[in-house]
Every structure is written in C-alpha cells, then in structure tokens.
C-alpha cells in the first residue's frame, strides 16, 4: 500500500519550487491550483493557487525576471512536490470466470474537462453551431498512399457487462496473447492466425485486483516486449475525502493468465479531497510512467506525474519516487521504442496554437529530472463538435482536444493524434513532432469521407517511421452508424488516407436520455512485437438494439 509522502523541508528547495510554480501558474493556467504541499507533520500549509501571495520578495522578483526572459528560457527545472513511498506488492492470481461483486456505480462515468465547465460547454456549443450537412472546409488530397489492410483477425471483444459507460476500451498485444481492458473488465485471448481468437480468461477488474470498496474505471494495459511483462493500471472512485485508490498490476511472466504483482496506491497524495482522473500509462527503457489529471470539485489543478523503475516493479519490490504536480493537463506519457536518455511528455490544451512538451531524464533513478514546458507551435485548433448518427437526433460525445493515449517516441519522433474541429465536423489530426527542433515534421487530418464525423482516435508507430491509427466514424447523411475504422501511412507518405472499415454497427446508440451519449473515452492501437509491419486495434462499437456498447479487435498492417 501507499505508505505516505515525504516532503522537502529545505528552505532553498521550497523557494525554488515557489519560484517555478509561479512561472507555471502565470504562463500556463492563471489562477489554477495544483494540489497542496504539507509540512513534515503531514498537515496542509498552503495550496498552489495561493502560493503567489506567500512568495518572498526574492521569488517575486525572480518570477518577474523569468516571465520577461522570453521563450529561450522556457525550459526550466521543475522541483518535485513530494515523495511517494509504496510498500512491497502482493501477488494475486485471479481465478478464471470468477466474478467478484462490486458496488453499483453511476451508470455514466462523468467526463471532466481541464477547462472550466462553463467554458467547455460554451466551446462545444460553438463547435456544434455548424449543424449537420455543412461542407468540410477542405478534403485531404495526397499522392497515392500505402494503406494498411486487415490481416484476417477481426472479431468482437468485450461487451458491456457491468453497466458502465463509456467503455474506455484499451488493449495490448504480446507474443502469445491479446489483452483487453474495459470498464470494468479484463479479457485475455490466445494469439493465433484465425479470424476470431479463443478466449483464455475473462474476469472483472474487481476480481483481478482483489478490490471491491469502490468501482474501478479508466483502465490501461501495455506489454513490455523487452522484459515480457504486462502492465495493467486502473483507478477507483474515492473512498473518502483523503483516500482514492490507484492500482498497478505487473505480470510475473509473459503469460497474462498467470499471477500478477499488485500495487495499491492512495493517489489523494495530500489528503485534501482532490480527485485523480484520466490516468495514462507509458514506459521508457528503464521506467513505467504515470500521469493523471487532478481536480478539486470541477476545478482542474493540472496534471501529476511520477515514474517507477522497472527493476523494482518487475520484482514486486516497494519503491520511493518523486511526485511532480501542477503540470499541464492532460499530459500524455510516451511508449519509448529506443534507448533515448530523454523521455518526452506532451499535452494539448483544449484549444490554441501550441502543445506543451516536458523532458524527463533519469526516470528510474533518484536523480530524476523534469524540465519544461517548451511550446511547440501548431496550426490553430479547437474542441470538436459532437458526432451525428443516422435515424436519430441522438449525438455521440467527441470529448475535448486532449491526447487520449500514450505517444510513440522513437529517435527524434514523437507521434500523437487528437480529435479537433474541422469546420462543422469532428476529425482526427495526427502529428509527427521533432523533439530536437520542437517543430512539426508531418501532420494532417484523416477521415472516412467529406461528410463523415470522425473521432475517438489513437495512433502508434514502428521504428521505420510507419504509423497506424484507429478511429470511430459515423455519417448521418448516408445512413452509416458507428464504424470501427483503421488506417496509417508509410514514413515518407505525406498524410493518412481514409483506410478500410473493419466493422459497421447495426444501429444507433441510445442507452440513456442523455444527449450527447458518452463515447470512448479512448481506443487503442498497438504495434505487433512479432511483426513490426503489423498493428492491433481495439475500439468501441454498438451492439444490436443500440442500448449496449461492444468492442472490436482487429489485426492489420502494410
């Protein structure tokens, strides 16, 4: 379990921290707060949002000097807020098909934007103003592109069984299995060259983690092909004003149907009723990377970040790691494919003309260093409108403009995608970012047609610079219900074509009286550790009748 936080007490360290927080608050999120810091007796002493009035004269002068220094001084060292200490893991082997009862949650898990709720509602209203039938401002035109194709495997994954929505579909592929996590289940299929894979194990996340106090949601899973380990994470609703659980599961072998080391963390780090939300999972050569958005009520306090050495996690050992708070939300960690000594975190605010990039070094060591943020200039973007469905006025929620999944980092490339407004349509846009020059090497929209609504996208890339995407597409104008689509591009291609459709839902989605209906919140696409020219995806679909979500798992490649 999470043993607690050890906070810096050295006055010089504190002054530097105040100085840096001042810069982050003023430059990025005026008036925003990032949590609480405590004294050595674990009693709250001040909130980040009130730090400005607690700064010394030297810190105020230093902050003013920093703000006037210009972009050349943007990348500054960020001090950790405290240290997270976690005890040795327990070993759990969930029994097949055993369902552990868990409390009934709200049927719909709320979406928490990182901008003020009223501002977000207004932004979505502006995006929806175009209405159906409007023409896209332009249609991408490229030279003939290499488009990936479906590689036989294409079948239905998990469907709603716990009554939760949205499903938060996520997955990973290893050398012997494909693992899918949803709200609130984990399913494991045995790999073979067939259209449908045989199910090896299916249990609730409550069973898997051995926890029933609160409902588990926001699951993620990745496979470490270097060390042949599966990593599964999930959060729970708060138990109290001071306790909210976050779980990390590490397989003890390459077999996901076997035993796991289970870590149980309390992520209400300062006991101040903050809410840990939308955690993301990444890894580099040495460490597992965790980020999450933090809220106090509906107010965003930015993002938290910490990294844990694989050498400790993969052996079930306890750990002590620094916690960084008050960062730009929603902060996507990478899946690092090489031996780069620097790890890059990236965030896309809900709208604007810049992304925020942080650099991390020594992720597995006591001397971990976090610097940034550095701004990467991109064309102006804004939150997407909702997606239309045929035969109904029911809309599908397209979320905000956040990066919903881990980036792919290889060499100087950092790959990401998000859904933004393209005129009156939601449309995914991909980015190939150069982390050395902090510029955009390649980017572009991709969508099914000139009249489609496209969203809930994910991206991954291989070492050759070829990328793979999945996304949801609807087209009310021609009667197309939600489709599971896939595409990608070779490294030298300028953009991503529409790509093939893997599955078309039989009807529109209408599980509640809400409009729009919650969708996503995310999908997943993963490169194949056995064949780098292939990838696997998992994305949401609609089951017959339109009241329950389902999912689709597909293998595809060039």
């Amino acid at each position: 379990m999470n043993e607690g936080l050890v906070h810096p007490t050295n006055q010089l360290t504190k002054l530097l921290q105040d100085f840096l927080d001042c810069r982050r608050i003023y430059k990025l999120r005026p008036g925003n707060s990032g949590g609480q810091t405590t004294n050595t007796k674990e009693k709250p002493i001040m909130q980040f949002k009130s730090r400005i009035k607690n700064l010394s004269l030297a810190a105020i002068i230093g902050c003013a000097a920093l703000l006037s220094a210009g972009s050349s001084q943007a990348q500054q060292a960020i001090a950790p807020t405290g240290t997270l200490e976690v005890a040795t893991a327990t070993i759990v082997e969930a029994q097949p098909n055993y369902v552990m009862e868990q409390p009934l949650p709200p049927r719909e898990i709320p979406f928490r934007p990182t901008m003020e709720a009223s501002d977000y509602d207004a932004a979505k209203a502006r995006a929806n103003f175009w209405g159906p039938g409007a023409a896209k401002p332009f249609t991408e035109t490229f030279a003939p592109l290499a488009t990936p194709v479906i590689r036989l495997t294409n079948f239905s994954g998990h469907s709603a069984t716990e009554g939760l929505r949205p499903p938060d579909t996520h997955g990973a592929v290893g050398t012997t299995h494909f693992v899918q996590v949803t709200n609130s289940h984990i399913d494991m299929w045995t790999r073979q060259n067939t259209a449908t894979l045989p199910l090896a194990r299916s249990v609730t996340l409550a069973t898997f983690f051995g926890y029933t106090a609160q409902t588990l949601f926001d699951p993620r899973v990745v496979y470490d092909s270097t060390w042949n380990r599966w990593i599964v994470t999930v959060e729970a609703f708060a138990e109290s004003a001071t306790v909210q659980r976050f779980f990390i599961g590490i397989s003890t072998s390459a077999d996901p149907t076997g035993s796991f080391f289970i870590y149980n963390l309390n992520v209400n780090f300062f006991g101040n009723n903050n809410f840990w939300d939308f955690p993301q999972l990444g890894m580099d050569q040495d460490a597992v990377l965790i980020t999450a958005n933090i809220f106090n009520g509906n107010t965003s306090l930015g993002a938290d970040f910490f990294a844990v050495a694989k050498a400790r996690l993969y052996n079930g050992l306890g750990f002590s790691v620094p916690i960084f708070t008050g960062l730009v939300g929603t902060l996507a960690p990478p899946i690092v494919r090489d031996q780069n000594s620097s790890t890059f975190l990236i965030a896309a605010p809900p709208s604007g003309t810049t992304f925020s990039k942080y650099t991390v070094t020594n992720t597995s060591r006591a001397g971990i260093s976090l610097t940034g943020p550095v701004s990467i200039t991109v064309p102006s973007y804004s939150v997407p409108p909702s997606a239309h469905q045929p035969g109904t006025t029911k809309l599908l929620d397209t979320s905000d403009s956040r990066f919903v999944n881990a980036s792919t980092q290889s060499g100087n490339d950092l790959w990401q995608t998000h859904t933004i407004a393209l005129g009156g349509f939601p449309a995914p846009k991909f980015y190939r970012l150069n982390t050395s020059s902090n510029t955009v090497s390649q980017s572009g929209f991709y969508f099914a047609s000139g009249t489609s609504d496209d969203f809930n996208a994910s991206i991954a890339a291989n070492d050759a610079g070829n990328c793979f995407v999945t996304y949801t597409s609807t087209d009310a104008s021609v009667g197309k219900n939600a489709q599971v689509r896939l595409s990608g591009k070779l490294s030298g291609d300028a953009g991503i074509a529409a790509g093939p459709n893997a599955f078309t839902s039989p009807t529109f989605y209408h599980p509640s009286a809400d409009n729009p209906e919650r969708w996503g919140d995310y999908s997943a696409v993963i490169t194949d550790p056995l064949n780098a020219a292939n990838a696997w995806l998992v994305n949401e679909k609609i089951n017959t009748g339109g009241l329950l979500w389902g999912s689709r798992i597909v293998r595809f490649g060039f």
Side-chain angles (χ1 to χ4, degrees):
M1 293 183 64
N2 181 7
E3 302 266 318
L5 287 167
V6 179
H7 295 274
T9 56
N10 182 280
Q11 188 62 36
L12 182 60
T13 301
K14 181 178 178 300
L15 179 61
L16 175 61
Q17 185 178 332
D18 287 338
F19 172 77
L20 294 170
D21 285 340
C22 171
R23 175 187 172 274
R24 290 202 297 278
I25 292 167
Y26 269 75
K27 185 164 184 175
L28 296 173
R29 297 179 303 287
N32 206 18
S33 70
Q36 287 186 331
T37 162
T38 66
N39 61 16
T40 54
K41 295 183 179 180
E42 301 299 312
K43 296 179 181 179
I45 55 175
M46 75 171 86
Q47 292 187 348
F48 287 0
K49 64 183 178 183
S50 62
R51 278 185 171 175
I52 298 304
K53 62 186 179 184
N54 287 287
L55 290 178
S56 67
L57 178 61
I60 294 172
I61 294 172
C63 188
L66 179 60
L67 290 172
S68 65
S71 60
S72 63
Q73 301 297 319
Q75 186 151 337
Q76 300 292 325
I78 299 172
T81 306
T83 300
L84 171 65
E85 296 185 345
V86 179
T88 301
T90 58
I91 297 181
V92 174
E93 184 169 355
Q95 295 302 309
N97 303 317
Y98 171 69
V99 177
M100 181 180 289
E101 187 176 353
Q102 58 183 345
L104 287 176
R107 292 298 178 181
E108 180 176 283
I109 297 173
F111 176 75
R112 293 176 172 84
T114 55
M115 59 199 299
E116 290 297 324
S118 59
D119 294 338
Y120 177 69
D121 291 341
K124 293 295 274 190
R126 288 192 298 272
N128 288 325
F129 179 74
W130 289 68
K136 289 185 180 175
F138 64 89
T139 299
E140 300 281 19
T141 55
F142 302 118
L145 300 175
T147 302
V149 297
I150 296 171
R151 299 293 190 190
L152 183 60
T153 303
N154 182 359
F155 67 101
S156 291
H158 192 75
S159 294
T161 53
E162 280 75 55
L164 288 168
R165 62 180 191 274
D168 291 349
T169 52
H170 205 259
V173 64
T175 56
T176 59
H177 291 81
F178 184 93
V179 175
Q180 180 191 13
V181 288
T182 55
N183 288 330
S184 180
H185 221 83
I186 182 167
D187 297 87
M188 307 164 187
W189 286 270
T190 302
R191 279 194 66 158
Q192 58 186 38
N193 193 33
T194 55
T196 301
L197 302 186
L199 184 64
R201 176 166 291 188
S202 177
V203 297
T204 65
L205 289 174
T207 299
F208 184 81
F209 286 103
Y211 173 83
T212 58
Q214 290 291 332
T215 297
L216 298 169
F217 65 104
D218 278 354
R220 308 269 182 170
V221 57
V222 299
Y223 178 72
D224 186 339
S225 60
T226 301
W227 297 105
N228 298 313
R229 293 291 185 272
W230 298 85
I231 308 164
V232 185
T233 62
V234 72
E235 67 172 311
F237 285 107
E239 294 179 10
S240 68
T242 59
V243 177
Q244 184 185 2
R245 300 296 177 188
F246 177 71
F247 295 90
I248 304 173
I250 308 291
S251 68
T252 59
S253 71
D255 181 5
T257 66
S259 59
F260 275 71
F261 294 120
I262 302 297
Y263 292 92
N264 179 343
L265 287 67
N266 178 12
V267 289
N268 191 337
F269 295 133
F270 306 104
N272 54 3
N273 206 28
N274 285 348
F275 189 79
W276 167 282
D277 187 52
F278 208 79
Q280 296 204 47
L281 172 63
M283 62 181 174
D284 60 19
Q285 59 179 325
D286 295 322
V288 171
L289 315 169
I290 305 290
T291 65
N293 288 334
I294 308 300
F295 292 87
N296 189 277
N298 291 322
T299 300
S300 171
L301 307 182
D304 284 3
F305 163 68
F306 65 88
V308 186
K310 292 179 181 179
R312 303 202 68 82
L313 289 176
Y314 292 5
N315 289 286
L317 303 176
F319 56 86
S320 176
V321 297
I323 301 291
F324 298 89
T325 65
L327 309 177
V328 180
T330 302
L331 190 60
I335 301 293
V336 183
R337 298 184 58 90
D338 56 19
Q339 302 298 304
N340 197 326
S341 61
S342 295
T343 297
F344 301 106
L345 314 176
I346 192 83
S351 63
T353 58
T354 58
F355 299 155
S356 295
K357 187 197 82 175
Y358 294 87
T359 302
V360 194
T361 58
N362 296 321
T363 52
S364 66
R365 301 174 181 87
I368 185 173
S369 170
L370 176 67
T371 58
V374 168
S375 294
I376 299 178
T377 301
V378 297
S380 179
Y381 67 89
S382 60
V383 298
S386 300
H388 298 85
Q389 302 184 90
T392 181
T393 57
K394 282 277 191 177
L395 303 173
L396 297 179
D397 188 11
T398 58
S399 185
D400 56 16
S401 306
R402 68 183 60 188
F403 296 140
V404 300
N405 264 320
S407 315
T408 299
Q409 180 182 326
S410 181
N412 289 331
D413 288 335
L414 192 68
W415 295 84
Q416 260 297 357
T417 189
H418 62 166
T419 302
I420 58 178
L422 179 58
F425 297 85
K429 189 173 187 179
F430 84 93
Y431 303 86
R432 186 179 191 174
L433 305 173
N434 186 306
T435 57
S436 177
S437 61
N438 296 318
T439 57
V440 179
S441 300
Q442 295 176 326
S443 71
F445 288 99
Y446 52 98
F447 41 78
S449 74
T451 55
S452 60
D453 290 332
D454 308 280
F455 54 104
N456 198 37
S458 293
I459 192 168
N462 61 23
D463 294 338
N466 306 325
C467 76
F468 308 85
V469 298
T470 182
Y471 60 104
T472 300
S473 181
T474 64
D475 197 332
S477 68
V478 294
K480 288 183 180 178
N481 291 302
Q483 296 182 324
V484 176
R485 298 195 70 96
L486 59 98
S487 192
K489 76 178 199 68
L490 297 178
S491 180
D493 287 341
I496 297 175
N501 169 40
F503 182 84
T504 300
S505 299
T507 187
F508 60 86
Y509 192 48
H510 56 104
S512 74
D514 297 336
N515 199 12
E517 296 282 6
R518 295 279 277 113
W519 189 268
D521 278 328
Y522 42 83
S523 56
V525 59
I526 319 98
T527 55
D528 193 328
L530 296 182
N531 185 344
N534 289 339
W536 295 66
L537 69 84
V538 58
N539 211 334
E540 183 175 359
K541 69 179 181 71
I542 305 165
N543 287 346
T544 300
L547 298 178
L548 297 176
W549 56 259
S551 61
R552 201 76 179 175
I553 297 169
V554 185
R555 178 165 58 103
F556 64 109
F558 291 101

